[in-house]
Amino acid sequence: MRTKLLTALAALAASGFLYGSVAAQTNTAPSGDPKHGYAVYVVQGCYECHGYQGQGNGRRGQGGGGGDVGPIIAPKPPAWASFVKQVRTPRQIMPTYSTNILSDKDAADIYAYLLSIPDAKDPKAIPLLNGVTLTPTGAIAR
Amino acid sequence: MGKKRSGGVDRRSFLAGIGAAGAATVAVAKPGEAQTAEKAIAPKSAAEARLLAQAETAQTQSAQVQFQSVPEGTVRNPGSDFMIDCMREVGIEYVAAIPGSTFRGLQESVIAFDGRKPEWITVTHEEISGAMAHGYYKASGKPMALMVHNSVGTQHAAMSVYDAWADRAPMMILTGNYADATQRMAGAEWYHSKVDDAEMLRGMLKYDDQPASLQHFEESIMRGAGLMMTPPMGPIFIVADQKLQEDGFAQFPKMRKFVAPTPPVADPNAVAQIAKMLVAAKNPVIVVDRSTRSQTDVQNLVKLAELLQAPVVDKLGRLNFPTNHYLWSPLPVVASADVILALDVGDLFGTVAEVADNRARRTVSRIKDGTTVIAIDSELLIPGGNYQDKQRFYQADLPVAGDSAATLPVLIEAVQRAMPDARRNENPQRAEVRKKAWIARRELDLKGAAVGWDSVPISVARMVMETYNAIKPYKWAYVSGSSFQNNWAQRLWDMTDHGHYLGSSGAAGVGYTCGASIGAALAHKGDGTICVSIHGDGDFMMGPGFLWSAAHHKLPLLTVVHNNRAWHNETMFVQVVAGDRDRHPERGRIGTVITEPNIDYAKVAQGFGVYAEGPITQPAQLGPALQRAVAMVRSGHPALVDVVSQPR
């Protein structure tokens, strides 16, 4: 069981979709300039799939009915290593950014920008979201 | 029956008039018309007598009119009056058109009478006419007609016809032509003529004809209407010869009562087999797309899903399944299926596998080896050809020809019969699993929607939720596609009725929303429904004249412009290609963004006579602007709010 769990975690980490506390532990990003990072983020067109605040399609990871654009990448971006891997050799549909296009420093600045994005509000604190149905309909037909 | 402007009588009165005054009172004034005017039909056999007796039951509303005193040369009983009667008989209530001289006779026959169907709807482009008929059908379940100028208008309409074809939606397209070339004036009448008028559309039509007589026209309309409305539905194209339109006739042909065909139900033996496979499955999954046509169909689908406690993946060709039902599930659930039942799924291959958009273009399966795929599919009943709308072939384990909606009631009965108690007893446990999954997913979506909630430009999730907040106190219908808004509506709105969502264009043709949104609004005119279209700016610019038609005909449409100042999908595509080439992805914006200058959509709308606000750039301004716009729509006028928003 433990082996299976570790295998699953390793697969998730390799796929670049392991976020949150485990990701934070493995995050060894160089320091960057978030302000410059935002400028690069916009100029390089990262916002086009991930939104200006990294909100993407509202889902972490691909699929799940979230449309065909990029996933959430902030707040709490993926681990630095996964981030760089995805930028340089992307999985799924995403432009490849080589060092000819995006320097390591610019990548670090973008990452710093993503790290600087504060946590989203609790949906319960947003009236329009707090009113969304959380009790589904349905029954068992005979 | 509507009012006539001059001397009109109904058919009964007309016949009485014939008896009293004799045939001489029915004037056919133009010299030479005897060659084309049709004679009364006398039965030559018992069979023909029966056909004529059947025709007697039909009412011809454009009855031949008697005039007390008219100038010499006046055309009585123009053929186009009869043609319009034929359209009315098969249920056509509206005709959309920008005027064109090749159908001027038909136009005059529509507009000559107040308050009578079909009603004339004026549009500014034939592509809007076609998309309008498309949207009207999806909102009303009824077919609509459009008239297009020969050749030039047909070319304009072509893309919207293709969308409708790919979306399996009916529409009746008419054009005119002087088939007898010696009748054509020099110049435009030649440019606006073809030897084979339907040729440019034929790959996207269920039927076309070029009738040579009024009787032939009646038969073409009736045959075409039956084909058009039989699933899988599709556009038809009829050429109304101009001489037939504009000549007068001593007597119109008899017109039969139109009887719509019943839809094709799948083979009962196959249905019984499907039922056994479904009840034996450990993890059955139902996939739907263009699978329902009414709320009754939706309820049937709910019943089938609840019998099996099977998750339902709605590919959103229509609203097939309520989004707030715990069995509503996203596509990845197919990975867990051992049996998949696909009901009129337009792209079955794309359901069970995908070809990723990268250089390798490898096919990757979404489903496990050994998953059994059953497809009830009306697509098997129509041919494919030049256009590749049938998508990639997938060999289902049990392909069954038939219409899903019509088959659902018998499938439900078969499942009820086939289900043993032991299987039935598993349902509560299955239900609990699905309820938990549904709630977890919705909670995740709420968290996702909260990211960037107060951002500028306005987040797409916020735009969609502010819109919902403004319309949900009333009856509403979401009449545009939702994928470019990340399907936030399906993820967070309670979409419960078939009319709550109409699906998207069909063939991914940009410009669809312009016409389709006003077509849907026409279907809801006067019933209190707020039709809302979250309209991409790129699509909007394909046919902004739709707003003039909305204002002119007072259509209840709220247009929320998703103004990301780009043909954004293409921006992303070009960026990817640039990345593949180690060139600068940011140059993907060249030619794909709509800036410098930014378009002021509120001003554009105001120029068309539509109430409009914007550009709205601050999130806090959006809710109040939408409330004011909804108030305007409720008062019977269209409104627009331009929202400067995040790309997706």
Side-chain angles (χ1 to χ4, degrees):
Chain A
M1 183 66 190
R2 188 168 177 277
T3 307
K4 278 187 181 174
L5 178 63
L6 289 173
T7 306
L9 285 172
L12 279 170
S15 70
F17 295 124
L18 186 59
Y19 305 126
S21 58
V22 176
Q25 288 163 24
T26 58
N27 190 353
T28 54
S31 62
D33 174 359
K35 192 172 175 188
H36 181 252
Y38 175 71
V40 177
Y41 184 89
V42 172
V43 167
Q44 290 290 354
C46 308
Y47 74 92
E48 290 171 7
C49 296
H50 299 288
Y52 288 88
Q53 271 67 42
Q55 68 269 46
N57 64 16
R59 283 279 173 82
R60 294 191 187 269
Q62 299 289 331
D68 54 1
V69 295
I72 294 177
I73 53 171
K76 296 185 177 63
W80 165 248
S82 299
F83 172 81
V84 171
K85 185 178 177 188
Q86 177 68 14
V87 167
R88 301 299 186 204
T89 54
R91 294 172 70 250
Q92 304 287 349
I93 179 169
M94 177 174 152
T96 302
Y97 289 87
S98 75
T99 50
N100 294 328
I101 304 298
L102 186 76
S103 69
D104 286 339
K105 181 186 178 310
D106 281 351
D109 288 349
I110 289 174
Y111 194 74
Y113 166 63
L114 297 176
L115 283 173
S116 75
I117 294 173
D119 283 353
K121 286 181 184 173
D122 183 341
K124 291 187 179 124
I126 300 171
L128 293 189
L129 298 183
N130 192 36
V132 167
T133 303
L134 277 172
T135 308
T137 61
I140 299 169
R142 301 296 298 171
Chain B
M1 181 163 174
K3 297 172 193 165
K4 290 188 171 75
R5 286 202 173 124
S6 59
V9 292
D10 64 18
R11 188 169 183 280
R12 189 180 298 273
S13 304
F14 164 71
L15 291 172
I18 293 284
T25 62
V26 181
V28 181
K30 277 182 166 178
E33 281 183 348
Q35 285 186 324
T36 55
E38 300 189 1
K39 295 191 169 85
I41 299 170
K44 293 183 182 137
S45 65
E48 195 168 307
R50 275 198 302 278
L51 282 174
L52 288 174
Q54 181 189 20
E56 281 292 327
T57 62
Q59 289 293 308
T60 306
Q61 290 196 12
S62 290
Q64 293 88 329
V65 177
Q66 300 172 75
F67 294 85
Q68 296 301 315
S69 173
V70 292
E72 188 175 349
T74 298
V75 177
R76 317 275 205 286
N77 309 322
S80 56
D81 280 6
F82 177 78
M83 293 173 173
I84 298 300
D85 286 342
C86 294
M87 292 168 65
R88 184 184 308 109
E89 174 59 29
V90 299
I92 299 296
E93 296 183 2
Y94 294 101
V95 178
I98 175 171
S101 58
T102 46
F103 56 82
R104 63 192 184 183
L106 286 167
Q107 178 172 357
E108 198 281 335
S109 291
V110 174
I111 64 175
F113 306 96
D114 284 331
R116 197 167 92 175
K117 298 292 184 183
E119 182 182 336
W120 193 263
I121 302 295
T122 312
V123 301
T124 59
H125 194 289
E126 288 87 350
E127 189 175 313
I128 296 174
S129 303
M132 191 173 189
H134 187 173
Y136 176 84
Y137 162 72
K138 289 201 281 187
S140 70
K142 294 185 282 191
M144 184 171 160
L146 53 145
M147 291 181 188
V148 296
H149 208 4
N150 194 303
S151 305
V152 287
T154 313
Q155 291 175 58
H156 272 172
M159 199 216 74
S160 62
V161 178
Y162 184 48
D163 266 340
W165 166 256
D167 201 22
R168 305 302 181 242
M171 63 175 61
M172 180 182 286
I173 310 157
L174 291 107
T175 191
N177 183 16
Y178 275 110
D180 180 352
T182 66
Q183 300 289 301
R184 297 175 198 155
M185 293 188 299
E189 287 194 350
W190 279 86
Y191 291 122
H192 299 162
S193 294
K194 288 185 76 189
V195 173
D196 180 358
D197 291 301
E199 172 269 335
M200 75 176 83
L201 299 179
R202 195 161 283 128
M204 35 181 145
L205 299 173
K206 279 194 84 177
Y207 174 71
D208 70 88
D209 202 5
Q210 198 153 344
S213 69
L214 287 186
Q215 188 70 65
H216 185 177
F217 185 90
E218 182 248 17
E219 292 178 10
S220 298
I221 288 286
M222 297 233 174
R223 187 198 300 271
L227 288 164
M228 168 177 76
M229 295 304 290
T230 300
M233 300 181 188
I236 63 167
F237 185 93
I238 307 289
V239 183
D241 183 84
Q242 269 190 270
K243 191 160 171 55
L244 283 178
Q245 287 182 50
E246 296 185 24
D247 276 353
F249 289 80
Q251 191 167 2
F252 288 151
K254 305 292 184 186
M255 184 164 59
R256 282 153 284 206
K257 181 174 173 54
F258 175 68
V259 181
T262 58
V265 180
D267 166 31
N269 292 327
V271 169
Q273 189 181 349
I274 292 169
K276 284 180 189 165
M277 293 162 83
L278 288 172
V279 299
K282 284 195 168 68
N283 290 303
V285 171
I286 301 170
V287 184
V288 289
D289 189 5
R290 288 187 292 266
S291 319
T292 58
R293 292 187 290 276
S294 69
Q295 188 61 14
T296 300
D297 298 339
V298 171
Q299 287 162 352
N300 283 337
L301 186 56
V302 167
K303 184 159 190 185
L304 178 66
E306 289 181 345
L307 272 169
L308 295 161
Q309 289 299 307
V312 177
V313 176
D314 195 340
K315 298 196 80 182
L316 306 179
R318 309 285 187 268
L319 188 138
N320 299 290
F321 198 76
T323 60
N324 62 354
H325 193 293
Y326 63 80
L327 292 171
W328 194 93
S329 301
L331 182 57
V333 77
V334 298
S336 66
D338 58 344
V339 174
I340 293 173
L341 172 64
L343 299 173
D344 273 302
V345 173
D347 182 7
L348 182 57
F349 184 92
T351 302
V352 299
E354 68 174 327
V355 176
D357 187 5
N358 55 31
R359 300 301 310 143
R361 295 267 164 170
R362 272 206 324 256
T363 298
V364 179
S365 179
R366 299 183 198 274
I367 62 174
K368 295 180 299 190
D369 284 348
T371 302
T372 300
V373 177
I374 305 162
I376 299 178
D377 196 354
S378 60
E379 283 296 303
L380 294 162
L381 303 171
I382 55 166
N386 189 27
Y387 293 98
Q388 298 290 292
D389 54 287
K390 279 187 181 288
Q391 304 288 326
R392 188 169 167 187
F393 176 72
Y394 182 79
Q395 179 57 66
D397 298 283
L398 180 53
V400 180
D403 173 55
S404 297
T407 303
L408 273 172
V410 290
L411 180 57
I412 288 167
E413 286 180 18
V415 168
Q416 283 171 324
R417 280 195 302 271
M419 186 172 284
D421 286 343
R423 170 64 179 79
R424 211 181 295 270
N425 293 339
E426 293 173 9
N427 275 344
Q429 191 182 351
R430 290 174 184 239
E432 281 311 305
V433 172
R434 292 297 159 201
K435 279 178 192 168
K436 282 180 185 162
W438 185 94
I439 292 167
R441 197 170 52 248
R442 190 156 271 204
E443 284 175 339
L444 262 183
D445 281 333
L446 283 168
K447 284 182 184 167
V451 180
W453 184 257
D454 294 319
S455 65
V456 176
I458 295 169
S459 86
V460 175
R462 179 149 188 181
M463 175 178 67
V464 171
M465 292 309 292
E466 293 278 6
T467 301
Y468 185 45
N469 189 54
I471 62 171
K472 69 180 181 184
Y474 315 105
K475 277 174 63 182
W476 56 269
Y478 186 164
V479 300
S480 54
S482 61
S483 65
F484 285 179
Q485 291 77 40
N486 297 325
N487 297 326
W488 278 115
Q490 284 80 9
R491 292 159 73 183
L492 294 178
W493 296 15
D494 290 343
M495 304 176 102
T496 57
D497 298 341
H498 185 67
H500 274 167
Y501 182 66
L502 307 185
S504 57
S505 62
V510 177
Y512 156 86
T513 309
C514 300
S517 62
I518 56 171
L522 176 66
H524 284 297
K525 187 177 179 180
D527 74 4
T529 300
I530 308 282
C531 293
V532 63
S533 163
I534 301 183
H535 198 158
D537 51 345
D539 187 292
F540 181 100
M541 287 304 293
M542 294 293 282
F546 79 97
L547 286 173
W548 177 84
S549 297
H552 182 71
H553 292 287
K554 296 183 174 59
L555 302 179
L557 176 67
L558 168 61
T559 296
V560 178
V561 180
H562 176 189
N563 183 5
N564 57 21
R565 294 177 172 155
W567 293 282
H568 185 72
N569 220 45
E570 310 312 311
T571 315
M572 296 189 294
F573 284 148
V574 178
Q575 273 198 321
V576 169
V577 173
D580 287 346
R581 298 169 183 185
D582 202 20
R583 295 175 182 167
H584 282 266
E586 74 274 15
R587 294 179 71 81
R589 289 195 286 274
I590 298 172
T592 62
V593 299
I594 312 171
T595 57
E596 300 180 53
N598 294 329
I599 296 170
D600 185 334
Y601 294 98
K603 272 193 184 161
V604 171
Q606 287 157 2
F608 286 122
V610 170
Y611 174 85
E613 294 197 32
I616 304 292
T617 58
Q618 300 302 312
Q621 297 172 342
L622 180 54
L626 286 165
Q627 296 288 352
R628 291 188 290 272
V630 165
M632 183 57 64
V633 176
R634 293 193 72 220
S635 75
H637 300 275
L640 176 144
V641 178
D642 175 12
V643 187
V644 179
S645 51
Q646 300 265 344
R648 282 286 182 89

